[in-house]
Amino acid sequence: MLKRTLSPRNISYKSFFKNKISLSILIFSLLFVLFSIYLITHNTSYKNSIASNPGPTSIDENHAVSENGLKKDSSSIDQNTIQNERSFNNANLITDNRGVPVLYYHSVRESADNEVTISPESLRMQLKYIKDQGYITLTLDELKNYLLNSSPIPEKSIVITFDDGYMDNYYNAFPILKNLNMVATIFCITSDLDGSYYLSKEAIREMSDYGIDIESHTVNHPKLNQLTYDKQLRELKESKETLESITGKKVDSIAYPFGDFNDDSVKAAKDSGYTLAFTTKRGLSDRDDNILKLDRIYISSKYDMSTFKEVLAQTKK
């Protein structure tokens, strides 16, 4: 029998394919090891990130806004640092008891057919005038710290508020505030938050996340001074709880509907956990006021710019 012998050519091919297969296995093994290392490293980094930033889990009692009005995580930043960073750079600061103008509006829409409904253009003109005059808008926390703790605020400080919480505040006032880089407060009636007449929960949440203070205007907007203490307490507590459940933030300010209140209203406000309460009496909010009977300045849609400027300039403590 003849023994088959391999030619040098056959031996060369065999060695070539054997070496190629070995090299492929080596490359594949190396890639597998590198990919495994990447997965382990990435997963560890992700877990550490989640552990260090678990997200909101409770009501934020120290809500703050940055220079551009966006919310900051106050759990890791000192409140005084936030206050200075937000708005007080290059401003002359005061601590004396000269008081702060707190303006209050209502509805904002084109058909300004009554004195509590201002057109978006009129609102824009008034707010732009305020900004051009060097005023800096305060959050209610900043006002509260000024009134209770003598914390420094800009010499030309002002608070902008809207009563009732109409849906048009979201459509028409909110864009103006953002455009002018201003903060404001909306006192909301909570009986019907469906987004048709009064604000929707989604709109409230969006504005609150931006830096607009969402505070209470009771559940049904009653004349509080005509109710028993228990009914007043229910109006104040339920509205507070509703808004806190929407925003995830503490609600500690209220505006009395119609400006009507009595001693029971003040007691109910305190017992419900409010720190500040606002009336409709014209004047500046200052330390001579009872903290649960703070003055404000009503802005009628009937005011022309000349009247608006006069009211702002001449209102005193």
Side-chain angles (χ1 to χ4, degrees), residues 191-203:
S191 58
D192 195 13
L193 299 175
D194 63 359
S196 57
Y197 190 64
Y198 294 119
L199 286 165
S200 66
K201 294 179 181 179
E202 293 75 18

Side-chain angles (χ1 to χ4, degrees), residues 106-167:
H106 292 80
S107 179
V108 183
R109 54 188 169 87
E110 290 296 343
S111 56
D113 52 1
N114 59 64
E115 68 170 311
V116 298
T117 302
I118 190 171
S119 70
E121 184 56 33
S122 293
L123 178 67
R124 180 183 293 277
M125 289 174 60
Q126 292 177 7
L127 295 186
K128 188 175 185 306
Y129 172 78
I130 288 171
K131 187 178 183 69
D132 290 345
Q133 292 300 303
Y135 282 96
I136 294 175
T137 51
L138 301 183
T139 67
L140 289 192
D141 270 349
E142 290 162 348
L143 177 66
K144 177 176 66 177
N145 287 333
Y146 164 72
L147 294 175
L148 295 180
N149 304 319
S150 298
S151 297
I153 58 172
E155 184 177 14
K156 301 190 76 170
S157 291
I158 196 166
V159 175
I160 308 297
T161 69
F162 297 85
D163 282 8
D164 301 337
Y166 299 107
M167 193 63 194

Side-chain angles (χ1 to χ4, degrees), residues 216-258:
S216 172
H217 203 41
T218 73
V219 177
N220 298 298
H221 201 269
K223 291 180 177 291
L224 289 173
N225 59 352
Q226 296 180 7
L227 301 181
T228 64
Y229 168 78
D230 288 340
K231 289 184 177 179
Q232 292 192 53
L233 185 67
R234 190 178 307 119
E235 284 279 343
L236 273 59
K237 289 185 69 174
E238 289 183 5
S239 63
K240 185 178 192 294
E241 292 167 357
T242 296
L243 294 173
E244 288 179 342
S245 70
I246 296 171
T247 65
K249 299 171 187 173
K250 186 175 181 181
V251 170
D252 60 6
S253 298
I254 186 167
Y256 299 121
F258 306 105

Side-chain angles (χ1 to χ4, degrees), residues 23 44 54 63 67 75 97 107 130 135 157 176 183 251 258 298:
L23 182 60
T44 301
H63 172 63
E67 180 78 10
S75 63
N97 188 31
S107 179
I130 288 171
Y135 282 96
S157 291
I176 296 172
V183 294
V251 170
F258 306 105
Y298 171 57

Side-chain angles (χ1 to χ4, degrees), residues 38-58:
Y38 167 77
L39 287 178
I40 292 171
T41 305
H42 179 75
N43 189 47
T44 301
S45 175
Y46 176 75
K47 287 181 178 179
N48 289 338
S49 174
I50 293 297
S52 62
N53 297 284
T57 57
S58 62

